[in-house]
């Protein structure tokens, strides 16, 4: 699953349909020496940040593929993301039609819901809602794809669930994005609904 995570992170930078800016070449370290920001060989990796993983996953999948559920599912299958077992799938779909993939990374349980109608959800079992919101807005700003708040920001729903709705335009298409956060699991869900 590490390969899937790395690919999600690589795609996240361009997922909002903006070209990535070229970075200058860096000098290569001597063999056996860690690169800047990298742990020495044999050192344990730092734990993944759930908010960062969720926003990266959402950008690399839901935003990158938009309403193309066939392309999204093909990509996830190609990357080796397993489908959820029937009981878990049915819980995530809650009566809707679609497929659910387990895209967890070590220490961060994640799911990707691909709905037959083109909708898409990235779900984190545990993630700080404020951090997810900040990272989402930062990523949109960096990629020059503004999130336009829709009415009823941060409304509390049943069971203390908070919803923040936005619209965005990517590749000339208007889409709606909903961030749902809660104290109980799942703590953060990013939903893309093509308009």
């Amino acid at each position: 699953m590490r390969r899937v995570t790395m690919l999600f992170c690589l795609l996240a930078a361009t997922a909002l349909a903006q070209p990535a800016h070229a970075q200058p070449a860096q000098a290569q370290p001597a063999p056996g020496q860690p690169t800047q920001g990298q742990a020495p060989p044999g050192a344990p990796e730092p734990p993944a940040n759930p908010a960062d993983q969720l926003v990266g996953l959402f950008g690399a999948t839901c935003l990158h593929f938009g309403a193309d559920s066939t392309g999204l599912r093909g990509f996830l299958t190609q990357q080796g993301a397993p489908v959820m077992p029937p009981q878990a799938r049915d819980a995530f779909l809650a009566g809707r039609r679609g497929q659910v993939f387990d895209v967890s990374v070590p220490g961060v349980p994640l799911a990707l819901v691909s709905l037959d109608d083109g909708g898409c959800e990235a779900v984190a079992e545990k993630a700080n809602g404020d951090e997810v919101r900040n990272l989402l807005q930062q990523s949109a700003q960096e990629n020059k794809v503004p999130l336009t708040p829709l009415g009823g920001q941060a409304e509390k729903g049943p069971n203390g669930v908070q919803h923040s709705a936005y619209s965005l335009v990517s590749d000339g298409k208007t889409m709606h994005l909903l961030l749902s956060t809660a104290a109980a699991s799942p703590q953060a869900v990013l939903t893309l609904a093509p308009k």
Side-chain angles (χ1 to χ4, degrees):
M1 197 53 69
R2 176 115 176 105
R3 184 173 152 219
V4 174
T5 303
M6 294 182 82
L7 185 55
F8 287 158
C9 292
L10 290 173
L11 285 175
T14 58
L16 294 173
Q18 295 294 318
H21 298 291
Q23 297 293 320
Q26 303 259 337
Q28 294 296 317
Q33 295 295 315
T35 59
Q36 184 177 0
Q38 184 181 40
E45 289 188 32
N49 177 317
D52 190 44
Q53 293 293 317
L54 180 65
V55 172
L57 170 65
F58 184 72
T61 55
C62 297
L63 289 177
H64 183 75
F65 287 93
D68 180 9
S69 57
T70 302
L72 172 61
R73 293 169 185 177
F75 168 75
L76 291 168
T77 300
Q78 180 183 32
Q79 297 308 311
V83 295
M84 291 278 191
Q87 186 176 4
R89 177 200 63 213
D90 293 347
F92 279 104
L93 291 175
R96 302 170 296 175
R97 297 178 55 106
Q99 294 183 17
V100 183
F101 296 85
D102 182 350
V103 291
S104 299
V105 297
V108 183
L110 297 167
L112 197 288
V113 180
S114 172
L115 299 171
D116 289 352
D117 68 4
C120 182
E121 295 176 351
V123 182
E125 181 180 338
K126 296 185 185 306
N128 180 295
D130 290 334
E131 192 174 355
V132 171
R133 182 177 293 103
N134 292 339
L135 286 169
L136 181 66
Q137 292 171 343
Q138 178 183 344
S139 178
Q141 185 177 17
E142 288 172 358
N143 288 288
K144 297 177 178 55
V145 180
L147 294 175
T148 305
L150 299 175
Q153 288 300 293
E155 289 183 352
K156 276 207 174 191
N159 303 322
V161 176
Q162 299 233 179
H163 300 288
S164 299
Y166 305 91
S167 70
L168 62 89
V169 178
S170 179
D171 288 336
K173 297 176 186 166
T174 301
M175 297 181 243
H176 288 159
L177 186 155
L178 181 67
L179 168 60
S180 303
T181 60
S185 180
Q187 290 183 332
V189 179
L190 284 168
T191 303
L192 183 71
K195 188 172 176 188

